[in-house]
C-alpha cells in the first residue's frame, strides 16, 4: 500500500502482550546496505570505551559507545560533561529511514558496539528525565544477530526476540514504564553487533 512515505509494509503486530507497544519490523535494509552501513559504523564512528553515565545508566563494560544528535546535547560521563556530536550524513540517513517507517521523529542517537557475545547490556528501561515522556525509541541492528529480552516489571513475564542484521525495533507508548529490556550475553556469537537507538531528548 502506498502512503506518504512510499511503499511501506503493513505495520507489524505488537510483540508485547500488554502494557506497552513494541514493533519489530524485521530487516529493513538490503544485504548491500547492511554491509555498507556496518563497515561505515565500525570504522568511522569515534567509538569510546570508558565508564559513563548516559541517561542515568552507569556503563562500565567493554562495549563501546558514541552519542550523536541534532545539537550538542550534554550528558555526564565519568563525572565530566560530554556533548553529543553532530549527525553525520550517514546517521541522518538512518534516522530518516527510522522516522519514515515508524512515523515518529528523533533528535539524538546512542550507538553501542558489542565486540562479541561476551558483551551485552543488563536489564533497564529507557525513561530518564531528559527523554521525552512516552517518546518512541527506534533501535537498529547491524552485524551479528542477537537475542533481546523484555521482562514485565510487575508480573516478571518475559518476551524474547531475535534482532537480525539490518532490522528495526520500535519501543513506544508506556513500554518503558512497564517493561525492562536487556541484551543477554551469549557464548554463541563471535562477531560484532552495532546497535543504534534513536531517541528524543527534551530540554
Ligand atoms: O543493544 C541493544 O539492542 C539495546 C541497547 C539499549 O537498550 C540501550 O542502549 O538502551
Ligand atoms: Fe535500552
Amino acid at each position: 500500500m502506498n502512503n506518504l512515505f512510499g511503499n511501506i509494509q503493513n505495520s507489524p503486530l505488537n510483540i508485547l502482550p500488554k502494557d506497552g507497544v513494541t514493533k519489530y519490523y524485521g530487516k529493513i535494509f538490503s544485504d548491500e546496505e547492511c554491509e555498507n552501513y556496518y563497515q561505515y559504523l565500525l570504522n568511522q564512528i569515534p567509538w569510546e570505551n570508558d565508564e559513563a553515565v548516559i541517561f542515568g545508566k552507569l556503563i562500565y563494560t567493554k562495549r563501546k559507545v558514541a552519542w550523536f544528535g541534532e545539537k550538542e546535547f550534554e550528558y555526564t560521563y565519568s563525572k565530566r560533561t560530554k556533548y553529543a556530536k553532530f549527525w553525520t550524513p550517514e546517521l541522518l540517513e538512518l534516522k530518516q529511514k527510522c522516522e519514515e517507517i515508524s512515523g515518529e521523529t528523533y533528535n539524538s542517537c546512542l550507538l553501542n558496539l558489542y565486540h562479541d557475545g561476551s558483551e551485552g547490556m543488563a536489564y533497564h528501561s529507557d525513561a530518564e528525565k531528559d527523554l521525552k515522556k512516552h517518546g518512541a525509541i527506534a533501535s537498529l541492528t547491524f552485524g551479528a544477530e542477537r537475542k533481546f529480552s523484555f521482562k514485565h516489571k510487575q508480573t516478571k513475564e518475559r518476551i524474547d526476540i531475535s534482532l537480525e542484521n539490518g532490522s528495526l525495533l520500535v519501543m513506544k507508548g508506556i513500554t518503558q514504564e512497564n517493561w525492562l529490556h536487556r541484551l543477554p550475553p551469549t557464548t554463541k556469537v563471535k562477531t560484532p553487533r552495532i546497535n543504534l537507538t534513536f531517541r528524543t531528548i527534551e530540554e
Side-chain angles (χ1 to χ4, degrees):
M1 194 180 80
N2 277 318
N3 62 18
L4 199 58
F5 303 115
N7 210 5
I8 292 179
Q9 305 296 315
N10 286 339
S11 190
L13 296 175
N14 187 4
I15 65 165
L16 299 177
K18 62 183 181 195
D19 297 339
V21 176
T22 295
K23 296 194 172 187
Y24 183 59
Y25 291 83
K27 185 168 164 156
I28 62 164
F29 297 102
S30 68
D31 288 346
E32 191 185 351
E33 287 172 317
C34 287
E35 181 59 19
N36 290 341
Y37 282 124
Y38 178 75
Q39 292 301 335
Y40 164 76
L41 293 164
L42 198 59
N43 298 309
Q44 306 296 322
I45 293 296
W47 296 105
E48 296 182 351
N49 57 359
D50 207 340
E51 284 198 5
V53 179
I54 296 177
F55 301 122
K57 192 170 55 197
L58 180 62
I59 291 169
Y60 50 89
T61 63
K62 293 172 288 173
R63 91 187 144 80
K64 294 191 176 184
V65 296
W67 171 232
F68 285 81
E70 68 182 20
K71 57 169 102 160
E72 285 195 320
F73 296 117
E74 57 174 76
Y75 65 94
T76 306
Y77 181 93
S78 296
K79 296 186 183 144
R80 290 170 292 152
T81 299
K82 297 266 291 182
Y83 297 92
K85 295 185 172 62
F86 189 71
W87 296 125
T88 66
E90 291 83 357
L91 289 173
L92 261 184
E93 272 171 27
L94 292 171
K95 178 176 91 82
Q96 279 156 5
K97 181 94 172 179
C98 290
E99 289 179 339
E100 283 174 18
I101 294 179
S102 66
E104 307 273 351
T105 59
Y106 310 96
N107 66 11
S108 59
C109 183
L110 175 64
L111 292 88
N112 295 297
L113 166 59
Y114 308 89
H115 298 85
D116 58 37
S118 72
E119 299 175 14
M121 196 181 288
Y123 272 124
H124 67 279
S125 54
D126 293 294
E128 299 308 319
K129 62 171 172 32
D130 292 345
L131 286 176
K132 181 179 170 188
K133 195 169 167 70
H134 299 160
I137 296 178
S139 170
L140 291 178
T141 291
F142 291 104
E145 180 165 339
R146 296 277 298 262
K147 187 166 107 174
F148 189 70
S149 304
F150 289 88
K151 184 165 80 176
H152 194 280
K153 291 183 185 178
Q154 268 78 48
T155 66
K156 313 295 179 202
E157 194 171 346
R158 269 186 52 181
I159 302 290
D160 292 337
I161 185 168
S162 195
L163 301 179
E164 65 188 306
N165 181 25
S167 68
L168 170 65
L169 178 84
V170 179
M171 300 182 275
K172 57 184 187 174
I174 56 173
T175 300
Q176 305 300 331
E177 269 163 52
N178 295 302
W179 296 85
L180 303 169
H181 56 266
R182 73 162 177 161
L183 187 79
T186 169
T187 55
K188 290 186 198 130
V189 174
K190 310 286 186 201
T191 54
R193 169 176 180 269
I194 294 169
N195 168 252
L196 298 82
T197 47
F198 291 93
R199 303 150 183 259
T200 302
I201 301 284
E202 258 178 5
E203 295 156 290

